[in-house]
Amino acid sequence: MNSITYAKQIAHHNTEFETFKTEILKGLTRERKYISSKFLYDKKGSQLFEKITELPEYYQTRTEATILSGNIEWLKDSFQKTTALIELGSGSSTKTRILLENIPGIQAYVPIDISPEMLSNTVDQLKKSFPNIQVTGVSADYTEAFSLPDLDADAEQKVVFFPGSTIGNFEPEEAIRFLQSIRALLGTGDRMILGVDRKKDIDTLEAAYNDQAGITAAFNKNVLTRIKRELETDLDIQAFSHYSFYNSTAGRIEMHLRSKKDQTISIEGESITFKKGETIHTENSYKYSEAEIETLSRKSSFTLMTTLSDADRQFSVCILEASD
Ligand code: AVJ
């Protein structure tokens, strides 16, 4: 049996190329230049992101893992029903192992990831480690419509795992619409384990996106490397620098690529002009207060049941229950 199902939109390489070209040109010809953060995660970008998660300044990943491992007893108590665990953006499923190892009710695991290579590796390894869990990978962009595979095991509940504060990449209204679409896949009483990065002092936030080793800068600039590789262009990567800061009005970290000089570049025959200092906005990472998480849950038909956090209240792992 094939353990991965492919969503249509990424099965065709051509479509993928056309989408990339169209979206890049659309974003760079706007008044305020923009590249969707989803394009940061090609093979190299995903590797750089994995490195980011190990940086001393990037507290998120290790804090979330500590919160999960530190609350195992509690998680065991709360997940006693037989469960199908569905993960959005599973990557290497490192944090998920904490759940798979410790929550006895998990019968089925459905990792969903945009990268088929990453996914099939992960699925193979998980099948070896957890022979009693039915593992079925779904290769899809989970921000687009997708459907769940038929699961042989008939679990009593579904639990969606969405860690890593990826929810922060959405605009707040988009985050609500997204959670509503996830809610629609669930029945009343099903749950979601949501990782959210909290609002905190600006220095801590800005350091996490401006690391000393320059890995975040390389991650950001890698999207230019990708444009150079995949599109017809005379773009000079050295002519742009990494720029990241906390926008406290909007409550988000912004990541940009800043033009070091006045310049005109050509991409697929289209001329794009930059003033010195002008930026391409490449990512937003919204930070949430506890009250904002409450509101977000309620507006998307979930009830915030529990918030697990670390001693310094840097990060939250929230348990949401699908309401009527
Ligand atoms: C994967 C979206 C959660 O916003 O912190 C890390 C991506 N960007 N450093 C984040 C990221 C720059 C990360 N997320």
Side-chain angles (χ1 to χ4, degrees):
M1 190 187 84
N2 189 347
S3 58
I4 300 182
T5 61
Y6 290 87
K8 261 197 221 94
Q9 71 266 23
I10 67 162
H12 302 288
H13 197 262
N14 249 343
T15 320
E16 204 181 343
F17 166 78
E18 284 300 329
T19 308
F20 183 63
K21 177 180 151 185
T22 312
E23 286 200 36
I24 293 294
L25 285 176
K26 196 169 143 213
L28 293 184
T29 50
R30 288 193 344 179
E31 164 100 29
R32 299 169 77 164
K33 296 181 174 61
Y34 165 84
I35 293 177
S36 166
S37 62
K38 71 181 175 199
F39 295 127
L40 295 168
Y41 299 88
D42 62 353
K43 187 153 178 270
K44 181 74 185 164
S46 301
Q47 285 166 355
L48 286 165
F49 178 67
E50 290 288 322
K51 276 194 170 180
I52 288 175
T53 66
E54 288 158 18
L55 291 168
E57 296 95 337
Y58 197 79
Y59 56 86
Q60 283 97 309
T61 314
R62 84 179 77 83
T63 306
E64 185 174 45
T66 306
I67 295 169
L68 288 172
S69 340
N71 287 282
I72 287 301
E73 285 312 313
W74 190 90
L75 287 165
K76 268 188 194 165
D77 281 354
S78 331
F79 294 96
Q80 294 196 345
K81 289 186 187 169
T82 56
T83 299
L85 185 73
I86 301 147
E87 180 167 5
L88 310 176
S90 48
S92 57
S93 297
T94 311
K95 277 172 283 196
T96 322
R97 285 177 174 266
I98 304 175
L99 300 180
L100 298 178
E101 275 160 15
N102 291 290
I103 301 180
I106 299 174
Q107 292 185 339
Y109 173 53
V110 182
I112 304 176
D113 203 272
I114 194 161
S115 157
E117 297 88 9
M118 188 81 154
L119 189 65
S120 61
N121 274 333
T122 305
V123 168
D124 288 348
Q125 286 173 13
L126 288 172
K127 283 187 162 177
K128 276 188 208 127
S129 311
F130 303 98
N132 296 324
I133 299 178
Q134 182 194 350
V135 183
T136 314
V138 175
S139 175
D141 175 353
Y142 61 80
T143 64
E144 306 284 336
F146 67 92
S147 51
L148 292 171
D150 276 337
L151 301 168
D152 299 340
D154 231 338
E156 291 167 297
Q157 67 170 355
K158 292 193 193 91
V159 174
V160 173
F161 187 40
F162 192 35
S165 200
T166 308
I167 191 77
N169 273 166
F170 293 99
E171 292 301 312
E173 312 77 55
E174 265 176 13
I176 294 169
R177 278 199 297 277
F178 175 70
L179 290 183
Q180 284 171 341
S181 75
I182 299 302
R183 168 67 188 85
L185 298 172
L186 303 177
T188 305
D190 283 341
R191 294 188 177 185
M192 172 142 183
I193 305 174
L194 178 69
V196 188
D197 196 19
R198 296 172 72 129
K199 286 204 159 83
K200 61 180 66 64
D201 69 280
I202 295 185
D203 289 351
T204 305
L205 284 170
E206 291 192 338
Y209 295 84
N210 291 284
D211 60 288
Q212 290 296 310
I215 309 293
T216 309
F219 171 68
N220 193 11
K221 284 188 196 167
N222 176 59
V223 78
L224 298 177
T225 311
R226 179 169 179 187
I227 291 172
K228 260 191 107 66
R229 185 179 60 238
E230 297 185 22
L231 306 177
E232 195 60 48
T233 180
D234 58 1
L235 163 70
D236 173 14
I237 298 165
Q238 301 308 320
F240 290 87
S241 58
H242 170 70
Y243 175 47
S244 181
F245 63 95
Y246 186 65
N247 175 337
S248 47
T249 316
R252 68 190 189 208
I253 284 281
E254 294 186 15
M255 203 162 74
H256 296 253
L257 289 159
R258 184 155 57 187
S259 178
K260 292 182 183 167
K261 57 182 187 191
D262 288 351
Q263 56 177 322
T264 299
I265 63 175
S266 149
I267 299 181
E268 297 282 331
E270 186 99 47
S271 279
I272 298 156
T273 300
F274 290 85
K275 288 250 166 292
K276 182 179 179 183
E278 187 180 350
T279 72
I280 307 169
H281 193 164
T282 50
E283 188 174 49
N284 283 326
S285 189
Y286 280 87
K287 308 302 169 187
Y288 284 86
S289 67
E290 177 118 38
E292 287 167 338
I293 299 171
E294 234 285 318
T295 309
L296 174 67
S297 307
R298 191 164 26 78
K299 289 191 173 168
S300 44
S301 303
F302 283 98
T303 307
L304 176 59
M305 308 285 286
T306 312
T307 301
L308 306 172
S309 199
D310 53 298
D312 299 328
R313 297 266 176 275
Q314 291 202 310
F315 199 92
S316 289
V317 175
C318 301
I319 314 293
L320 277 50
E321 192 174 278
S323 51
D324 287 325

